[in-house]
Amino acid sequence: MLPFECIVEGPPVSLQTKRRGRLQAWKQKIAHAARQVVAEGQPHSEQVIFRVTYYYDGASPDVDNIIKPIQDALVGIVYEDDDQVQETSARKRDLDGAYRIRGASPLVVQGFLNGVNFLHIKVDSYNPTPILD
């Protein structure tokens, strides 16, 4: 099942939002997108790496505040529990930026073609190295 990858049109909802209903709706949107990609079966049970990139136009929330709701929404679908996440990478990129496209995921290309804010979410197996940095 891994690597898992999907795009979700956004904007994302920050963990800091006071509008809890909006946060729950956002998590449901993430979960729905994940279910469209994941075949029926058991969620991954080993340690994982989580990556998210938010491609935005205009204002955007703090990148660190968008991580937790997305990780929570993937529980029971992509992985059993979000405590399996051993590494997290989050970044945001302006849709109007100049990008060199080489080896890009077809999903990222599709996101750009859609022309609206979107998130690219990727979960992969964690393979630790014995080197501490």
Side-chain angles (χ1 to χ4, degrees):
M1 166 164 87
L2 294 184
F4 163 84
E5 183 179 23
C6 74
I7 61 170
V8 180
E9 291 184 357
V13 177
S14 169
L15 181 63
Q16 303 298 322
T17 187
K18 305 244 187 283
R19 297 170 52 197
R20 303 321 279 174
R22 187 168 173 243
L23 181 61
Q24 290 308 318
W26 173 243
K27 287 181 182 182
Q28 289 173 358
K29 184 174 182 176
I30 297 290
H32 177 75
R35 285 187 195 98
Q36 300 303 306
V37 175
V38 174
E40 286 295 318
Q42 288 293 104
H44 191 71
S45 61
E46 303 298 321
Q47 297 174 332
V48 298
I49 297 172
F50 172 88
R51 295 183 179 101
V52 62
T53 304
Y54 175 40
Y55 294 93
Y56 69 96
D57 183 25
S60 71
D62 292 348
V63 72
D64 60 324
N65 290 333
I66 68 173
I67 298 167
K68 184 66 173 150
I70 299 167
Q71 286 181 342
D72 288 348
L74 299 178
V75 169
I77 302 168
V78 177
Y79 40 74
E80 292 174 353
D81 194 287
D82 59 344
D83 72 347
Q84 293 168 236
V85 177
Q86 299 299 304
E87 290 183 19
T88 297
S89 167
R91 58 189 177 173
K92 56 186 180 179
R93 300 288 187 255
D94 192 328
L95 275 174
D96 291 330
Y99 297 100
R100 191 170 168 189
I101 307 289
R102 186 181 339 173
S105 161
L107 287 175
V108 172
V109 173
Q110 183 60 51
F112 275 103
L113 291 174
N114 292 344
V116 296
N117 295 355
F118 72 97
L119 289 100
H120 175 240
I121 303 165
K122 187 168 185 179
V123 178
D124 210 343
S125 296
Y126 176 68
N127 297 310
T129 62
I131 300 170
L132 296 178
D133 35 319

